[in-house]
Amino acid sequence: MYATILPTDATPAAPADEEFALRQIAGPRDVVLRLYPGDAAGTDHWAVETDEALGPPGTKPAVACVVTFTGPMSPAVREAADRADRDRIGPLMAARATTTGRVLRLWQPDRCRKTVVVMAVDQPTLQDGFRAIAEAELLPGEDPALLPGPDHVEIFEVTAVTS
């Protein structure tokens, strides 16, 4: 599966399996996150590394947080980020699965960039997740020098979902 995150006026190359129209809450951006079957191709596409539905079935996202690591990420930084996501951050978000709807982890191999999209039922849920992540202790063996944090964090209202 692959994804694009493009302005709303960009014409998609093909019909998507799912589309999420997103309006930036504290800014001027309107984008559409589109999910497609198959493999990614091109620099505007993201490989979907993981797509996790969390919470009760049928949870409808109202907000989305787009966390971007612009890179290029070295292999060591990517490995550390993947471990933190899998072993520390992912379980924290899963523990809040009564209100977190979905987490997509996206990767652009050509640019060595990573983006994580977290969809939730409301902003307090996102804030609770951010707070839990910020307060969580590193796991044994995690090196803070290899965990520089995201370059951009944007919060969007989910204005439409098409599947």
Side-chain angles (χ1 to χ4, degrees):
M1 177 186 321
Y2 70 95
T4 60
I5 304 173
L6 298 171
T8 54
D9 60 355
T11 304
D17 284 354
E18 291 181 88
E19 293 187 4
F20 300 86
L22 308 174
R23 177 178 300 129
Q24 192 175 30
I25 290 176
R29 285 187 358 123
D30 287 348
V31 297
V32 178
L33 167 65
R34 292 182 175 96
L35 300 174
Y36 299 90
D39 294 326
T43 56
D44 287 338
H45 297 75
W46 298 83
V48 177
E49 291 187 315
T50 59
D51 178 1
E52 294 179 76
L54 301 173
T59 300
K60 297 193 189 281
V63 293
C65 178
V66 178
V67 180
T68 303
F69 302 83
T70 57
M73 295 176 86
S74 71
V77 169
R78 180 168 184 219
E79 183 179 321
D82 288 348
R83 177 180 180 227
D85 198 22
R86 178 186 64 246
D87 297 341
R88 182 169 42 88
I89 297 169
L92 283 171
M93 296 307 287
R96 286 152 177 77
T98 58
T99 54
T100 304
R102 191 170 184 179
V103 178
L104 295 156
R105 291 171 186 87
L106 312 176
W107 175 250
Q108 277 186 330
D110 295 347
R111 295 182 177 175
C112 296
R113 294 174 46 171
K114 182 176 185 166
T115 291
V116 179
V117 180
V118 179
M119 296 184 207
V121 296
D122 56 30
Q123 278 188 287
T125 298
L126 289 177
Q127 292 167 342
D128 177 54
F130 295 148
R131 192 172 18 265
I133 291 166
E135 293 172 355
E137 292 186 27
L138 295 180
L139 299 172
E142 278 190 296
D143 181 354
L146 295 175
L147 299 168
D151 297 297
H152 305 282
V153 177
E154 299 172 284
I155 308 294
F156 293 87
E157 174 188 2
V158 178
T159 59
V161 178
T162 308
S163 55

